[in-house]
Amino acid sequence: MTRTAFRAWQGPSLAGPASLVVLIIIILPMFVLLRGSFEAGSAQAIVQEGLTLANYQRFFTDPYYLDIFFVTVKIAALCTLMALVLGFPVAYFLARTQSRHKSLMIILVVFPLLVGNVVRAAGWMIILGHAGAVNTLLGWLGLADEPLKLLYTPAAVVIGTTGIVLPYLILTLQSVLEGIDFSVEEAARNLGANPVVTFLRITLPIATPGVAAGTVLVFILCMNAYATPVLLGGTGITMMAPALYDQITKAADWPFGSAMALILVISTLGMALISHSLINRKYAKTMTA
């Protein structure tokens, strides 16, 4: 085999095992999910023979499930926005710092990812509970005469979900910001630009690809969150992942649960790709302007 032929086969041979794993673990179950979503269920049998669109028709015509879907989108978008606002300064600091403790600071950002989502959500339950840290602090400061209802509310879900996805966004942005030549910022300030203008006209446009990648990742995680909405939202809020889980485990309606899962996957990927495309298009216009 010639060297050219070897190089031609080298890439596919290296990517082959990983592609096979993806095919087995992700693609094939998705086909099973797709097939199951077109089946019918009943009280007598979990799955009946024949194909039908009744599951999708039921979802898109029932205001209850549409409300769950739109609540999920709003919660995911709000959590993504909060993570971006809170995470960008941290990522910027990590990218610019020359401290010898930089590795330790990055480890501190990564450390929450070593703890399961259920454990972290349980921690937020203690913080936001009736006698939790927040209410105790508010009472000690005299800002609240009685404990506030923070747990089992949409606000608790937003706070908990944002805290869980924040490290992903920080690490994604930090890796992109480290590739920026910060002497460009210094040149802008030497030409009279204030810090705000420098950030909006220099730093943010250059960091746009990282912002796009990070927000898409975080949005997907928020859309598919399960443990946090269940533990922190309780009956006060219902999102798509807990709702489809209930359809499968409690109602034993596998076809409708499969349809809900497929709608969640397709809508999440669709919105993520659209937002990614819009951000990159704006980035291209900014860089050519």
Side-chain angles (χ1 to χ4, degrees):
M1 179 181 294
T2 63
R3 180 174 300 180
T4 303
F6 175 76
R7 290 178 177 176
W9 281 99
Q10 187 177 14
S13 63
L14 293 175
S19 301
L20 183 61
V21 171
V22 171
L23 177 66
I24 295 175
I25 296 179
I26 298 178
I27 305 300
L28 292 182
M30 288 298 298
F31 277 109
V32 175
L33 195 68
L34 176 64
R35 175 64 176 82
S37 68
F38 290 103
E39 295 172 341
S42 67
Q44 292 75 27
I46 295 179
V47 177
Q48 294 179 331
E49 294 184 1
L51 300 179
T52 177
L53 293 173
N55 297 313
Y56 294 96
Q57 182 179 2
R58 175 184 171 187
F59 181 89
F60 289 109
T61 56
D62 192 328
Y64 173 74
Y65 295 108
L66 288 178
D67 182 66
I68 291 176
F69 176 77
F70 289 121
V71 166
T72 303
V73 174
K74 288 189 290 186
I75 293 292
L78 182 57
C79 292
T80 302
L81 179 61
M82 289 185 59
L84 180 60
V85 173
L86 296 174
F88 198 102
V90 179
Y92 183 81
F93 172 77
L94 291 175
R96 293 213 60 174
T97 184
Q98 300 296 325
S99 172
R100 60 190 180 90
H101 301 297
K102 180 177 180 178
S103 298
L104 177 61
M105 289 185 283
I106 294 177
I107 290 174
L108 291 177
V109 174
V110 175
F111 183 76
L113 301 179
L114 305 179
V115 182
N117 291 350
V118 175
V119 177
R120 283 189 279 173
W124 281 109
M125 293 178 68
I126 298 175
I127 295 173
L128 301 174
H130 187 76
V134 174
N135 278 317
T136 300
L137 179 61
L138 292 176
W140 182 71
L141 296 175
L143 299 177
D145 297 330
E146 57 183 20
L148 302 178
K149 180 177 175 54
L150 301 175
L151 196 59
Y152 306 130
T153 62
V157 176
V158 172
I159 293 172
T161 305
T162 302
I164 287 175
V165 302
L166 188 57
Y168 295 100
L169 188 61
I170 292 175
L171 294 173
T172 304
L173 288 175
Q174 183 254 339
S175 62
V176 173
L177 290 172
E178 281 190 338
I180 296 178
D181 184 2
F182 289 108
S183 62
V184 179
E185 293 183 345
E186 297 176 1
R189 285 194 291 269
N190 291 335
L191 292 174
N194 58 48
V196 176
V197 174
T198 301
F199 173 77
L200 295 177
R201 299 293 299 273
I202 304 296
T203 308
L204 187 59
I206 297 177
T208 298
V211 172
T215 52
V216 166
L217 172 63
V218 168
F219 181 77
I220 292 174
L221 293 174
C222 294
M223 282 287 290
N224 294 274
Y226 173 78
T228 308
V230 170
L231 295 177
L232 299 181
T235 58
I237 181 174
T238 303
M239 294 178 65
M240 282 290 288
L244 70 89
Y245 177 82
D246 289 341
Q247 287 296 323
I248 293 176
T249 60
K250 296 181 180 179
D253 194 343
W254 285 77
F256 187 60
S258 299
M260 291 184 65
L262 202 63
I263 291 171
L264 177 60
V265 170
I266 294 176
S267 60
T268 301
L269 292 179
M271 286 184 284
L273 291 175
I274 291 173
S275 62
H276 188 274
S277 175
L278 292 176
I279 293 175
N280 282 338
R281 187 177 303 175
K282 184 175 180 60
Y283 167 75
K285 290 181 179 179
T286 304
M287 297 305 293
T288 56

